[in-house]
Coordinates of all heavy atoms in Angstrom, one line a residue:
D156 N 6.7 8.7 2.1 CA 7.2 10.1 2.0 C 6.0 10.9 2.7 O 5.0 11.2 2.1 CB 7.3 10.5 0.6 CG 8.0 11.9 0.4 OD1 7.8 12.7 1.3 OD2 8.6 12.2 -0.6
D157 N 6.3 11.3 3.9 CA 5.3 12.0 4.7 C 5.1 13.4 4.2 O 4.1 14.1 4.5 CB 5.8 12.1 6.2 CG 5.5 10.7 6.8 OD1 5.1 9.7 6.1 OD2 5.7 10.5 8.0
Y158 N 6.0 14.0 3.4 CA 5.8 15.3 2.8 C 4.9 15.3 1.6 O 4.1 16.2 1.3 CB 7.2 15.9 2.4 CG 8.1 16.2 3.6 CD1 9.1 15.4 3.9 CD2 7.9 17.4 4.3 CE1 9.9 15.6 5.1 CE2 8.7 17.7 5.4 CZ 9.7 16.8 5.8 OH 10.5 17.1 6.8
K159 N 4.9 14.1 1.0 CA 4.0 14.0 -0.2 C 2.8 13.2 0.1 O 2.0 13.0 -0.8 CB 4.8 13.3 -1.4 CG 6.0 14.1 -1.9 CD 6.6 13.3 -3.1 CE 7.8 14.2 -3.7 NZ 8.5 13.5 -4.8
N160 N 2.6 12.8 1.4 CA 1.5 11.9 1.7 C 1.4 10.7 0.9 O 0.3 10.4 0.3 CB 0.2 12.7 1.8 CG 0.1 13.7 2.9 OD1 1.0 13.8 3.7 ND2 -1.0 14.5 2.9
A161 N 2.5 10.1 0.7 CA 2.5 8.9 -0.3 C 3.2 7.7 0.3 O 4.2 7.9 1.1 CB 3.1 9.3 -1.6
V162 N 2.8 6.6 -0.1 CA 3.5 5.3 0.2 C 3.7 4.6 -1.1 O 3.0 4.6 -2.0 CB 2.7 4.4 1.2 CG1 1.4 4.0 0.6 CG2 3.5 3.3 1.7
Y163 N 4.9 3.9 -1.1 CA 5.3 3.2 -2.3 C 5.6 1.7 -2.1 O 5.9 1.4 -0.9 CB 6.6 3.8 -2.9 CG 6.4 5.3 -3.0 CD1 6.9 6.2 -2.1 CD2 5.8 5.9 -4.1 CE1 6.8 7.5 -2.2 CE2 5.6 7.3 -4.3 CZ 6.1 8.1 -3.3 OH 6.0 9.5 -3.4
L164 N 5.5 0.9 -3.1 CA 5.9 -0.5 -3.1 C 6.7 -0.9 -4.3 O 6.2 -0.9 -5.4 CB 4.7 -1.5 -3.0 CG 5.0 -2.9 -2.7 CD1 5.7 -3.1 -1.3 CD2 3.8 -3.8 -2.9
Q165 N 8.0 -1.0 -4.1 CA 8.9 -1.4 -5.1 C 8.9 -2.9 -5.2 O 9.3 -3.5 -4.2 CB 10.3 -0.8 -4.9 CG 11.4 -1.2 -5.9 CD 11.0 -0.7 -7.3 OE1 10.7 0.5 -7.4 NE2 11.1 -1.5 -8.4
M166 N 8.6 -3.4 -6.3 CA 8.4 -4.9 -6.5 C 9.5 -5.3 -7.5 O 9.3 -4.9 -8.7 CB 7.0 -5.2 -6.9 CG 6.0 -4.8 -5.9 SD 4.3 -5.4 -6.3 CE 4.0 -4.5 -7.9
N167 N 10.4 -6.1 -7.1 CA 11.4 -6.6 -8.0 C 11.3 -8.2 -8.0 O 10.6 -8.8 -7.2 CB 12.8 -6.3 -7.5 CG 13.0 -4.8 -7.5 OD1 12.5 -4.0 -8.3 ND2 13.8 -4.4 -6.5
S168 N 11.9 -8.7 -9.1 CA 11.9 -10.2 -9.3 C 10.5 -10.8 -9.2 O 10.3 -11.8 -8.4 CB 12.9 -10.9 -8.2 OG 14.2 -10.4 -8.3
L169 N 9.6 -10.2 -9.8 CA 8.2 -10.6 -9.8 C 8.0 -12.0 -10.3 O 8.7 -12.4 -11.2 CB 7.3 -9.6 -10.5 CG 7.1 -8.3 -9.7 CD1 6.6 -7.2 -10.7 CD2 6.0 -8.5 -8.6
K170 N 7.0 -12.7 -9.7 CA 6.7 -14.0 -10.0 C 5.2 -14.1 -10.4 O 4.4 -13.2 -9.9 CB 6.9 -15.0 -8.8 CG 8.3 -14.9 -8.2 CD 8.4 -15.7 -7.0 CE 9.8 -15.7 -6.3 NZ 9.9 -16.5 -5.2
P171 N 4.8 -15.1 -11.2 CA 3.4 -15.2 -11.5 C 2.5 -15.3 -10.3 O 1.4 -14.8 -10.4 CB 3.4 -16.6 -12.3 CG 4.7 -16.6 -12.9 CD 5.7 -16.0 -11.9
E172 N 3.0 -15.9 -9.2 CA 2.2 -16.0 -8.0 C 2.0 -14.6 -7.3 O 1.2 -14.5 -6.3 CB 2.7 -17.0 -7.0 CG 4.2 -16.8 -6.7 CD 5.1 -17.7 -7.6 OE1 4.9 -17.8 -8.8 OE2 6.1 -18.3 -6.9
D173 N 2.7 -13.5 -7.8 CA 2.4 -12.2 -7.3 C 1.2 -11.5 -7.9 O 0.8 -10.5 -7.6 CB 3.7 -11.3 -7.5 CG 4.9 -11.7 -6.7 OD1 4.7 -12.1 -5.5 OD2 6.0 -11.7 -7.3
T174 N 0.7 -12.2 -9.0 CA -0.5 -11.6 -9.7 C -1.7 -11.5 -8.7 O -2.0 -12.4 -8.0 CB -0.9 -12.6 -10.8 OG1 0.2 -12.6 -11.8 CG2 -2.2 -12.0 -11.5
A175 N -2.2 -10.3 -8.6 CA -3.3 -10.0 -7.7 C -3.7 -8.5 -7.9 O -3.0 -7.7 -8.6 CB -2.9 -10.2 -6.2
T176 N -4.8 -8.2 -7.2 CA -5.2 -6.8 -7.1 C -4.4 -6.3 -5.8 O -4.6 -6.9 -4.8 CB -6.6 -6.6 -7.0 OG1 -7.2 -7.1 -8.2 CG2 -7.0 -5.1 -6.9
Y177 N -3.7 -5.2 -5.9 CA -3.0 -4.6 -4.7 C -3.8 -3.4 -4.2 O -4.1 -2.5 -5.0 CB -1.6 -4.3 -5.2 CG -0.7 -5.4 -5.3 CD1 -0.9 -6.4 -6.4 CD2 0.3 -5.7 -4.4 CE1 -0.1 -7.5 -6.5 CE2 1.1 -6.9 -4.5 CZ 0.9 -7.7 -5.6 OH 1.8 -8.8 -5.7
Y178 N -3.9 -3.4 -2.9 CA -4.7 -2.4 -2.3 C -3.8 -1.6 -1.3 O -3.0 -2.2 -0.5 CB -5.9 -3.0 -1.5 CG -6.9 -3.6 -2.4 CD1 -6.8 -4.9 -2.6 CD2 -8.0 -2.9 -2.9 CE1 -7.7 -5.6 -3.4 CE2 -8.9 -3.5 -3.6 CZ -8.8 -4.9 -3.9 OH -9.8 -5.5 -4.7
C179 N -3.9 -0.4 -1.3 CA -3.3 0.5 -0.2 C -4.2 0.6 1.0 O -5.4 0.7 0.8 CB -3.0 1.9 -0.9 SG -2.2 3.1 0.2
N180 N -3.6 0.6 2.1 CA -4.3 0.7 3.4 C -3.7 1.7 4.3 O -2.5 1.7 4.4 CB -4.4 -0.7 4.0 CG -4.9 -0.7 5.5 OD1 -4.3 -0.6 6.4 ND2 -6.3 -0.7 5.5
A181 N -4.6 2.4 5.0 CA -4.1 3.4 6.1 C -4.8 3.0 7.3 O -6.0 2.9 7.3 CB -4.4 4.8 5.7
E182 N -4.0 2.8 8.4 CA -4.7 2.3 9.7 C -4.2 3.3 10.8 O -3.0 3.5 10.9 CB -4.3 0.9 10.0 CG -5.0 0.3 11.2 CD -4.4 0.6 12.5 OE1 -3.1 0.7 12.5 OE2 -5.1 0.7 13.5
Y183 N -5.1 3.7 11.6 CA -4.8 4.4 12.8 C -5.8 4.1 13.9 O -7.0 4.4 13.7 CB -4.8 6.0 12.5 CG -4.6 6.8 13.7 CD1 -3.3 6.8 14.3 CD2 -5.5 7.7 14.2 CE1 -3.1 7.6 15.5 CE2 -5.3 8.5 15.3 CZ -4.0 8.5 15.9 OH -3.8 9.3 17.0
R184 N -5.3 3.6 15.0 CA -6.2 3.2 16.2 C -7.5 2.5 15.8 O -8.6 2.8 16.2 CB -6.4 4.5 16.9 CG -5.3 5.1 17.6 CD -5.6 6.2 18.5 NE -4.4 6.8 19.1 CZ -4.4 7.8 20.0 NH1 -5.6 8.3 20.4 NH2 -3.3 8.2 20.6
G185 N -7.4 1.5 14.8 CA -8.4 0.7 14.4 C -9.3 1.3 13.3 O -10.1 0.5 12.8
Y186 N -9.0 2.5 12.9 CA -9.7 3.0 11.7 C -8.9 2.7 10.5 O -7.7 2.9 10.4 CB -9.8 4.6 11.9 CG -10.4 5.3 10.6 CD1 -11.7 5.2 10.3 CD2 -9.4 5.9 9.8 CE1 -12.1 5.8 9.1 CE2 -9.9 6.5 8.6 CZ -11.2 6.5 8.3 OH -11.7 7.1 7.2
N187 N -9.6 2.1 9.5 CA -8.9 1.6 8.3 C -9.6 2.3 7.1 O -10.8 2.5 7.0 CB -9.2 0.1 8.1 CG -8.1 -0.7 8.9 OD1 -7.0 -0.9 8.5 ND2 -8.5 -1.0 10.1
L188 N -8.6 2.8 6.2 CA -9.0 3.4 5.0 C -8.4 2.6 3.9 O -7.2 2.2 4.0 CB -8.5 4.8 5.0 CG -8.9 5.7 3.7 CD1 -10.4 5.9 3.6 CD2 -8.2 7.0 3.8
W189 N -9.2 2.3 2.8 CA -8.7 1.5 1.7 C -8.8 2.3 0.4 O -9.7 3.0 0.1 CB -9.6 0.2 1.5 CG -9.4 -0.7 2.6 CD1 -10.2 -0.8 3.8 CD2 -8.4 -1.8 2.8 NE1 -9.8 -1.8 4.6 CE2 -8.7 -2.4 4.0 CE3 -7.4 -2.2 2.1 CZ2 -8.0 -3.5 4.5 CZ3 -6.6 -3.3 2.4 CH2 -7.0 -3.9 3.7
G190 N -7.9 1.9 -0.5 CA -7.9 2.4 -1.9 C -8.7 1.4 -2.7 O -9.3 0.4 -2.3
Q191 N -8.8 1.8 -4.0 CA -9.7 1.1 -4.9 C -9.0 -0.1 -5.5 O -9.6 -1.0 -6.1 CB -10.2 2.1 -6.0 CG -9.3 2.2 -7.2 CD -8.1 3.1 -6.8 OE1 -8.0 3.7 -5.7 NE2 -7.2 3.3 -7.7

């Protein structure tokens, strides 16, 4: 949602192998920004 400056990930039918730390990333022309 570019008006809210937000990105979402809807995860359905989750499996145990989906267990992990999930990180948000923003990339522009080789510049990367990461969430915590």
Side-chain angles (χ1 to χ4, degrees):
D156 186 333
D157 287 2
Y158 292 100
K159 295 183 178 179
N160 286 0
V162 63
Y163 309 98
L164 186 68
Q165 178 66 44
M166 305 185 294
N167 298 327
S168 302
L169 282 161
K170 305 174 181 180
E172 51 263 43
D173 295 317
T174 295
T176 301
Y177 283 70
Y178 296 91
C179 181
N180 172 266
E182 187 274 329
Y183 177 65
R184 294 188 178 181
Y186 172 76
N187 278 277
L188 182 63
W189 292 93
Q191 82 286 354

